[in-house]
Amino acid sequence: MNRLQRSCYSLLLALTLFFALTSLVQAEFRFANEQSGENLLAPSLWGPLGGFRLLSAQRAYTGSMGVQFGLHGQFFTKKDFFASGNDTTRAIGQLTTNFTPWPYTEFFSLWEIISSRDHTSTGSIEQFGNFNLGTKIGFDPWPVFSIAGAFQAEHINKVGQFDITDTAWNFALVGLLTLDLSRREDPVPLRLHANVGYRFDNSFDANDTTTLTAEQQFILGVSPFDQLLFGAGLEVPIDYITFLAEYTTEQTVGSGSGGFDDNPQRVTLGLRFFPTNNNALAIDAGADVGLFNGNPSANTLAEPDYNLIFGLTYTFISSKPAPKVPATGSIAGIVLDATSLTQLGGAIISFPEMEKTRLQSHPENGSFALAGLSPGTITAKVQLQGYETANVEFLVEAGKSINREIKLKPLAVKKKGTLILRITDADGNPLLGQVGFVGYPNMKPAAIPKKGVQVKMAVGRHKILVGSDGFQAEEHDIYIEPDTKVVAAFVLRETGDRIKLTKEKIVIADKIYFATGKWALTPNSESLLNRVADLINDNPQITKLQVEGHTDSTGKKSYNVFLSQKRAEAVMEYLISRGVKRVRLTAVGFGPSKPVAGNLTQPGRAANRRVEFTILQEAKPTN
């Protein structure tokens, strides 16, 4: 080797060491308890992205620009190779680069050195100056499917020669397909690759083939025939390790080129390890297992029984990978009375674009939500008895939730209607009681005599609360029409023992009522809570009592948890105002997480909206 050759190889070695040390200095190494990120794709043995011998149709990252460097080695040794007494050793060194100026375009190169020694006859063979140049262009028709085409020019140098005289050029065209199931919304750790191509082989032009033995042709990879290139394989990326399995073959084309089994075929098995937090550094280890060794007598390429592969690569990118954007969006809203801004429950929300989709606003807070919508404009038709129909447009965006307030205008009211209200017990006996008007703070509760009561009310939908001493209070919806008398008769159930102390709870047979969608207690709940406070004060052994708020599952869970917490705190504060010491009480809101009935029916949802009292701690009795 002359001085020029030694200088060039020293420069090549210095560049390789520089990039290797740079990758080590910049990398933050992963510890055993740290989570790994999404693996980047690494270069193949030839330079483009891929496994070991197979190329990938994908792009490695979503950054605007990137550079990848790879350093690989291959090693093979065998006794009696081709003929008895031939003890052959071959080593290959490869330096690859990969430049991606645009997301779907790669330019790549390969610099290769081959050194081989036959310990019995041929002696040593060295080949310098082999290099490849190529480009790959592709696209993603679907998020998980990629298609690409690659062109590669392979420079073949003469044995033992460093300059580029007496050389040959091979050319290859390869089509690439990749199916990456790890990019699905519900990812599966699997990538599938397929390669089909054609190589125009002119390698014989660079060497005096009349003096080359079959063994030397194998070492140098020269052939008088073009080849069809086939390959298929898979990658299994699990955390920071990717397992690879590939099948590749080169089938020579031409008269006298042999049959299918006469041409080299191999299975390549290995793994790729990403030891750094940013997954930019990759370490490769694998081996080729020869399936058919080829037929040198037919002038085809040969394949050893095995070939070891090892190397490392590093990726530099100009920006971090962009986060995945969900393909769908969602909408949410709240229905309000345009005049009083009262939250309106029970409104029907339909969508002309989706005939089978109908929602109902939450009975307490008027909220609604719908997810899994494709991006674009969607129209919501909102209807409620006593109000004008509203049509509201939502512009759905992927990965976002669009929130709107929908204000319904009450129908024009020229006259009032009359509510005639009576309450009785189960036997039909008239009861004395009172009626409250939920959501109308300016309307004071009215007494209900045994003969009943008549109340002038505005046209529209109303919620009333009726009750009588010794009977369970009830909520009812009514609708008043102009100049019409609406007769409503309700049968109330006796409460019996409304409060009961057990070993674990204070059980109440009646409900505690709040303003709709709020945590303010209604007046008809005060007598029940007064009894609860008296029971706590009469039982000093109860040292810690938990006030628990519960809701149904309608609406957003986060809001329901918030509302149940506020209602539990409101009950706790009322008990404190009745003389219960604060240190004995605590309040917790569970939202919809502890239902006592199904949420598919109105009675079930009503049963789930409740307040409970759980005894957490009792004082031990003293002797």
Side-chain angles (χ1 to χ4, degrees):
M1 186 182 293
N2 59 35
R3 181 177 299 176
L4 176 60
Q5 293 172 346
R6 289 195 296 269
S7 299
C8 291
Y9 282 109
S10 298
L11 177 61
L12 179 62
L13 179 61
L15 289 172
T16 302
L17 291 175
F18 169 76
F19 289 118
L21 291 174
T22 300
S23 69
L24 294 175
V25 170
Q26 292 188 351
E28 298 178 2
F29 280 85
R30 184 195 325 279
F31 294 97
N33 63 340
E34 291 182 336
Q35 295 290 331
S36 63
E38 181 182 357
N39 289 352
L40 296 173
L41 297 174
S44 63
L45 295 176
W46 315 118
L49 299 175
F52 288 151
R53 297 186 179 277
L54 284 179
L55 308 186
S56 171
Q58 294 175 283
R59 52 177 175 166
Y61 37 80
T62 57
S64 59
M65 183 179 296
V67 181
Q68 294 180 311
F69 296 93
L71 182 64
H72 287 91
Q74 301 183 50
F75 180 78
F76 157 74
T77 183
K78 187 179 181 181
K79 294 182 179 181
D80 302 326
F81 190 54
F82 286 102
S84 177
N86 281 5
D87 298 342
T88 303
T89 299
R90 181 187 69 178
I92 301 176
Q94 296 170 303
L95 175 65
T96 60
T97 60
N98 182 323
F99 174 52
T100 305
W102 307 288
Y104 292 100
T105 304
E106 294 179 41
F107 297 98
F108 55 88
S109 66
L110 162 68
W111 184 279
E112 184 177 65
I113 300 173
I114 301 175
S115 178
S116 178
R117 183 170 183 82
D118 179 351
H119 299 285
T120 57
S121 59
T122 306
S124 64
I125 296 177
E126 293 183 340
Q127 191 173 35
F128 315 103
N130 289 357
F131 63 86
N132 296 357
L133 298 174
T135 185
K136 186 186 84 177
I137 299 175
F139 67 102
D140 297 338
W142 298 283
V144 299
F145 189 66
S146 302
I147 301 175
F151 169 77
Q152 181 172 274
E154 306 170 358
H155 173 265
I156 308 297
N157 216 355
K158 191 173 182 178
V159 174
Q161 180 173 292
F162 189 78
D163 58 31
I164 58 173
T165 60
D166 298 327
T167 63
W169 288 89
N170 296 340
F171 301 97
L173 294 171
V174 186
L176 316 173
L177 297 175
T178 295
L179 179 65
D180 189 350
L181 301 182
S182 67
R183 293 186 176 180
R184 298 195 327 173
E185 291 187 7
D186 51 338
V188 176
L190 180 64
R191 300 189 192 104
L192 303 175
H193 304 289
N195 293 182
V196 179
Y198 191 90
R199 176 186 287 124
F200 300 89
D201 198 313
N202 303 301
S203 56
F204 262 39
D205 296 345
N207 296 280
D208 183 3
T209 56
T210 60
T211 62
L212 292 180
T213 66
E215 177 191 5
Q216 291 170 329
Q217 291 184 40
F218 154 72
I219 293 170
L220 299 175
V222 297
S223 171
F225 300 109
D226 294 346
Q227 297 109 46
L228 288 172
L229 311 176
F230 298 98
L234 59 85
E235 296 180 65
V236 182
I238 301 176
D239 287 334
Y240 48 87
I241 296 178
T242 297
F243 299 92
L244 301 100
E246 304 173 348
Y247 165 81
T248 51
T249 181
E250 300 85 33
Q251 295 291 319
T252 53
V253 179
S255 176
S257 61
F260 183 82
D261 294 350
D262 293 326
N263 289 277
Q265 301 174 55
R266 69 197 67 82
V267 171
T268 305
L269 303 174
L271 59 84
R272 177 166 286 155
F273 173 54
F274 295 84
T276 61
N277 285 337
N278 59 6
N279 290 335
L281 177 66
I283 299 174
D284 293 342
D288 295 327
V289 179
L291 300 180
F292 300 98
N293 297 108
N295 185 0
S297 63
N299 289 320
T300 62
L301 295 170
E303 182 68 22
D305 293 333
Y306 74 92
N307 180 56
L308 300 180
I309 301 171
F310 48 88
L312 62 85
T313 64
Y314 194 81
T315 301
F316 297 88
I317 57 177
S318 62
S319 61
K320 295 182 179 179
K324 291 184 178 180
V325 177
T328 61
S330 61
I331 63 172
I334 185 170
V335 183
L336 302 174
D337 185 300
T339 303
S340 64
L341 299 183
T342 303
Q343 297 156 339
L344 299 177
I348 302 300
I349 302 100
S350 58
F351 305 89
E353 298 88 348
M354 300 179 294
E355 296 181 356
K356 296 183 179 180
T357 303
R358 291 169 63 90
L359 304 177
Q360 189 172 12
S361 61
H362 191 282
E364 293 190 357
N365 56 44
S367 64
F368 68 91
L370 182 63
L373 299 173
S374 300
T377 301
I378 185 172
T379 301
K381 183 178 181 181
V382 186
Q383 297 173 292
L384 184 62
Q385 192 176 31
Y387 291 87
E388 296 180 6
T389 298
N391 292 288
V392 182
E393 287 190 346
F394 289 83
L395 181 59
V396 181
E397 298 182 46
K400 295 183 179 180
S401 178
I402 308 302
N403 292 272
R404 297 282 299 273
E405 283 188 352
I406 301 177
K407 298 177 181 179
L408 300 184
K409 296 181 179 179
L411 293 174
V413 178
K414 297 181 180 180
K415 297 180 180 181
K416 292 186 176 183
T418 303
L419 171 64
I420 301 175
L421 178 62
R422 300 185 182 91
I423 54 176
T424 66
D425 61 15
D427 297 325
N429 300 314
L431 298 175
L432 295 173
Q434 66 176 10
V435 57
F437 304 93
V438 181
Y440 293 88
N442 295 330
M443 294 183 67
K444 296 181 179 180
I448 304 176
K450 287 188 176 182
K451 65 179 181 179
V453 66
Q454 294 189 23
V455 182
K456 289 286 187 180
M457 301 183 69
V459 171
R461 177 176 171 270
H462 303 270
K463 186 184 292 293
I464 62 173
L465 182 65
V466 294
S468 179
D469 288 341
F471 292 82
Q472 294 185 22
E474 296 182 358
E475 278 189 2
H476 293 278
D477 289 332
I478 59 171
Y479 183 74
I480 303 298
E481 297 194 20
D483 298 326
T484 302
K485 291 183 179 181
V486 177
V487 179
F490 301 114
V491 179
L492 303 185
R493 294 175 297 170
E494 294 187 56
T495 58
D497 188 1
R498 300 175 68 192
I499 303 176
K500 183 179 179 181
L501 178 61
T502 68
K503 185 177 181 180
E504 298 177 348
K505 291 180 176 290
I506 295 177
V507 180
I508 57 175
D510 204 352
K511 293 191 68 171
I512 297 172
Y513 291 95
F514 301 87
T516 304
K518 300 179 181 179
W519 49 89
L521 289 162
T522 58
N524 60 318
S525 296
E526 294 179 359
S527 61
L528 176 61
L529 290 177
N530 291 343
R531 293 279 305 279
V532 174
D534 293 341
L535 181 62
I536 298 172
N537 289 327
D538 292 341
N539 290 271
Q541 76 277 10
I542 302 175
T543 57
K544 182 64 72 175
L545 183 71
Q546 181 169 279
V547 183
E548 301 173 352
H550 302 271
T551 68
D552 60 27
S553 62
T554 308
K556 290 187 176 180
K557 181 179 179 181
S558 58
Y559 179 81
N560 285 334
V561 172
F562 168 78
L563 181 63
S564 63
Q565 179 67 35
K566 286 295 186 181
R567 288 182 170 180
E569 292 173 357
V571 172
M572 182 181 71
E573 293 298 330
Y574 186 88
L575 296 177
I576 293 171
S577 71
R578 297 293 298 180
V580 180
K581 293 183 178 180
R582 183 180 295 274
V583 71
R584 301 175 66 189
L585 300 174
T586 184
V588 178
F590 290 100
S593 62
K594 293 187 176 184
V596 295
N599 282 296
L600 298 179
T601 63
Q602 180 63 33
R605 291 191 293 269
N608 289 330
R609 299 191 295 270
R610 68 195 188 280
V611 175
E612 295 183 342
F613 302 91
T614 300
I615 299 172
L616 299 180
Q617 184 177 330
E618 288 186 304
K620 294 182 180 180
T622 57
N623 295 330

